[in-house]
Amino acid sequence: MSKEAAYHAACVRADETRAQLAVSAQAAKARIAPARLKQDAVAKITASALDGVAYAAAKAQQRPVAIGAAAAAFGLFLARRPLAALFGRLYVRFRKQDTDLPEIDDG
């Protein structure tokens, strides 16, 4: 192989390597673009949330009574003030009915 042919082959390899480098740089640039990073983060969060929901649903199917009791306790906890007000009003109402009757019947 002559020196000119070797030089020409080296130039062709250099051009191919330069083109591969440019393609790799574009791919790296596309991977670290803010829109792509945001899209990847949203996809991971969505997948994690769906996995968590599926796991919770599977556990709930295994223990329906425990889940029902926990949900009822949580519901009562959230409604504690309205329930306390209701029972307070009922207590006062029943207490008033008892005191309205006279203790001594003069009749």
Side-chain angles (χ1 to χ4, degrees):
M1 182 180 234
S2 69
K3 289 184 180 182
E4 288 180 14
Y7 175 76
H8 182 59
C11 287
V12 169
R13 280 195 315 268
D15 289 339
E16 289 173 356
T17 305
R18 195 174 300 119
Q20 287 176 352
L21 177 65
V23 169
S24 296
Q26 287 294 332
K29 188 176 180 182
R31 275 190 304 224
I32 61 170
R36 174 73 185 265
L37 293 175
K38 179 182 172 185
Q39 180 183 8
D40 289 346
V42 168
K44 284 183 182 180
I45 290 170
T46 303
S48 297
L50 290 176
D51 288 343
V53 168
Y55 177 77
K59 289 296 179 181
Q61 286 178 350
Q62 290 176 357
R63 298 179 185 94
V65 175
I67 298 299
F74 186 66
L76 288 173
F77 174 74
L78 290 178
R80 67 188 181 276
R81 287 188 180 159
L83 288 174
L86 171 69
F87 288 126
R89 285 192 306 267
L90 289 175
Y91 176 76
V92 168
R93 185 175 296 158
F94 288 132
R95 186 96 168 142
K96 274 188 171 181
Q97 285 179 354
D98 292 341
T99 58
D100 286 342
L101 297 176
E103 292 183 15
I104 301 173
D105 190 15
D106 292 334

